[in-house]
Amino acid sequence: MPSAVDLAAHPLTTWQGPLGLPDFTRIGDGDFSGVFDAALTAHEAEIEAISGNAETPTIENTLAALELGGEALDHVSSIFWCRAGAHTNEAIQALERDISPKMSRHFSAISMNERLFARIDELYQRRDALKLDAETLRVLEKTWKNFVRSGARLDAAGKKRLAAINEELSSLGTNFGQNLLADERDWALFLDEADIAGLPEFLKSAMAEAAEMRGQKGRYAVTLSRSIYEPFSTFSERRDLREIAFRAFTMRGQNGGATDNTAVVRDMLRLRAEKAKLLAYASYAALKLDDTMAKTPEAVHKLLDPVWEKALEKAASDQIELHRLAAEAGSNEEFAAWDWRFYQEKLRAEKFAFDESELKPYLQLDRIIDACFDVATKLFGISFEEKQGIATWHPDARVFIVRNADGSERGLFLADYFARPSKRSGAWMSALKSGYKLGDGSRPVIYNIMNFAKPPEGEAALLSVDEAKTLFHEFGHALHGMLTEVTWPSVAGTSVSRDFVELPSQLYEHWLTVPAVLEKHALHVKTGKPMPKALVDKMLAARTFGAGFATVEFTASALVDMAYHARPDAPDEPLRFEAETLERLNMPDTIAMRHRTPHFGHIFAGDGYSAGYYSYMWSEVLDADAFAAFEETGDLFNPALAERLRKNIYAAGGSKDPEELYIAFRGKMPSPEAMMAKRGLV
């Protein structure tokens, strides 16, 4: 029973482990359910105290009280959702199915609490007279709008229906993610020595480790982790095996049976359309874009459509070259999607006289981590100190103290780099704690999750260029969380509009390939020598190589996402709609979407990027222009510009309108041309 849990003493809510972290040694899977129930009850009591307060609403007794409420719930939630993504099991998954709808009911009740909204509304109507500072005014306005967009003005029947929709969507999102994880976990293609011709040593080592983890020591496993699937598709000389792996990868979530996501997607799209209509929006995309830089589906298409046309042209041109290579290699087969990466790598070798496997020995995981830290020190003055032997959610996770230039502690950074069957695919950043100044304040505890192939014991983990970029990308998000300097929790760190949140991460990727960074950190795993300048030059010259393929697979996903959500209703057969949309777009049958519908976790395993996958490209317009600002000074670590970047982008969170923040840094808003040039499309 909830009453049996002492929230003031439980290790899930009172963090008394080393460095102020939770004491993970005292947390068991069986602890979560009771603590969640108690924390929900405690938060309900806090909300009742705020909404039932007889005093005139003030910023302190209403807005601040609302922002600071639910601390115990925040603590248990942050640990649980970390576990659910990074190290799950059947017990955690069962809890996830139970907790997701409970949380949805809880927050629906808060957003539809009439007395609470009345207090927020009174403050909102008096906002000009309150003489608020800019950040507090923005928080008040955003809070009021969030209440309205969450149904605060609906009648009783509308509120009841919206709460039911939200609860069902929450459960469906959980089911989608668990189904996808099951398909990824349960599929492996086991191979023997005779099957692995052409594979470089780094990939053979990773596949051997993956096979051993699955009880097949002495063999090699192709898994559906990108860190194995993509290099296997790139280097395997066995076309039949490339086809098997391709079909398995693209059919995740669409294999029939209990883990099939077809019906889950159909129901989610139907409920999202109903939710938008209930809230008086023309479509679910209109609802989701209301609080973004883009504002409307039309603005999104204004960006995506020209890029799509350029990408199709480039891909068609590239495919002619790939056909030529296939013919020269004696292939009589019709060129197919599982041939693209293989022949694209051969074309890279022909054009630039190197292949991906030449770079890997210079991209050691630990060296690239050091490079991430080194760039952060040069730009922002912060430093990192690893602390060994501190228990976290998994032995692979590492803990770093983050310090300011004066040596004072800023927060903590945790990182969990290797793939395992208990971890969902992809890479992400999140927070155990956000950083803010309101009340007693809070120092950020930020973490990164990756899915790199784990090397055998005693060997260094080697990354591809794309994986190294992913590490820099997610660390850019982490910096957004760690450098935050705002007062209010709801606008701290990455709490910004969806199409602005990728700017700090995508911008940070640029520093990976700065020659001085490569010279210092891209050292050969065996000789310790820096990457030769000739190889660096080839790599930089090849940066836009394959742009047609990469842009088509990404933009197709963004356009399908928008097609699903910009219509007023929902398709009865989403997979048929996906196929029809791609046909209308003239999608080449030799390239697959980066994320097909049944495994498009960004938009269906929760609500994070629904009608928002375009935002990576929207932010790319900003990041290309932002890095150009450094290039224009002739100093890629220009101190004055780095300080403007820190203050207005990384530290400012959502405290101001993103357009205002960007102009404060750059002096103007950008046009898409720099992004298209960066991608090699013009």
Side-chain angles (χ1 to χ4, degrees), residues 328-527:
E328 288 173 1
S331 172
N332 297 316
E333 307 280 355
E334 185 176 349
F335 191 84
W338 46 90
D339 294 319
W340 195 293
R341 290 183 190 277
F342 180 73
Y343 286 107
Q344 183 167 268
E345 189 59 28
K346 293 194 176 306
L347 183 61
R348 186 211 304 266
E350 178 183 279
K351 284 193 167 192
F352 300 101
F354 84 102
D355 64 36
E356 184 75 33
S357 64
E358 283 185 72
L359 298 172
K360 275 243 181 182
Y362 293 97
L363 300 175
Q364 299 172 63
L365 172 60
D366 282 342
R367 298 280 190 190
I368 301 302
I369 295 168
D370 287 345
C372 274
F373 293 169
D374 195 18
V375 171
T377 302
K378 282 189 169 73
L379 288 171
F380 307 123
I382 57 174
S383 59
F384 300 81
E385 177 192 354
E386 184 163 12
K387 290 293 184 181
Q388 304 281 355
I390 296 176
T392 63
W393 56 87
H394 189 275
D396 282 348
R398 299 164 65 175
V399 179
F400 302 86
I401 295 177
V402 187
R403 299 191 189 281
N404 294 308
D406 63 4
S408 61
E409 189 175 322
R410 169 163 283 277
L412 298 176
F413 172 61
L414 286 69
D416 183 355
Y417 292 111
F418 296 122
R420 53 180 172 265
S422 64
K423 183 191 283 188
R424 70 173 167 88
S425 62
W428 65 96
M429 164 270 182
S430 194
L432 291 180
K433 272 187 181 179
S434 293
Y436 55 84
K437 298 173 185 173
L438 192 68
D440 293 333
S442 170
R443 284 187 301 184
V445 181
I446 306 297
Y447 63 89
N448 275 172
I449 307 291
M450 309 288 166
N451 268 283
F452 303 140
K454 191 170 187 177
E457 189 71 33
E459 291 188 22
L462 303 178
L463 306 182
S464 68
V465 174
D466 281 347
E467 287 172 330
K469 282 183 180 175
T470 296
L471 195 150
F472 263 71
H473 178 101
E474 296 305 334
F475 190 71
H477 281 309
L479 286 171
H480 203 183
M482 290 185 288
L483 290 171
T484 189
E485 292 282 358
V486 304
T487 298
W488 292 85
S490 64
V491 292
T494 56
S495 298
V496 300
S497 70
R498 181 60 67 194
D499 48 14
F500 193 66
V501 76
E502 297 299 334
L503 168 61
S505 54
Q506 292 178 184
L507 174 58
Y508 205 70
E509 290 178 36
H510 289 264
W511 275 279
L512 168 65
T513 51
V514 167
V517 174
L518 290 172
E519 187 177 339
K520 182 175 179 182
H521 297 287
L523 307 181
H524 195 280
V525 64
K526 290 180 179 173
T527 67

